[in-house]
Amino acid sequence: IALSAELLGETAAAGPDEAATEEPATPVSQTNQELLHTAARKNDCPGIATALVGGDVNARDKLKRTALHIASWAGHVNA
């Protein structure tokens, strides 16, 4: 298949796909992350909800654990 240089130029000018240009999520403050993980450890569902307002459910601690990891490790199925 022969492609014209003009077509190739337009394709290159379009840039990377949109997924690659999305900005990363706003980092969670250390305090908010600690609140989320503490609430998960204590099975404090209202505390988890409060910590997640404007926060990131995938925030990880220094051991790379999410709140879900902590809650499931502790056996808290409600959290």
Side-chain angles (χ1 to χ4, degrees):
I1 300 174
L3 296 176
S4 69
E6 184 177 311
L7 179 58
L8 290 173
E10 286 178 297
T11 303
D17 67 352
E18 292 179 29
T21 60
E22 290 180 14
E23 292 185 28
T26 305
V28 177
S29 70
Q30 185 66 28
T31 304
N32 198 23
Q33 178 183 334
E34 288 173 357
L35 289 173
L36 175 60
H37 288 194
T38 299
R41 188 177 310 105
K42 294 181 176 183
N43 201 28
D44 177 9
C45 294
I48 291 170
T50 301
L52 286 176
V53 173
D56 180 9
V57 71
N58 295 314
R60 295 179 180 264
D61 63 9
K62 65 182 178 182
L63 298 175
K64 308 288 186 197
R65 299 175 299 184
T66 65
L68 179 59
H69 291 130
I70 294 168
S72 62
W73 173 83
H76 302 313
V77 296
N78 294 330

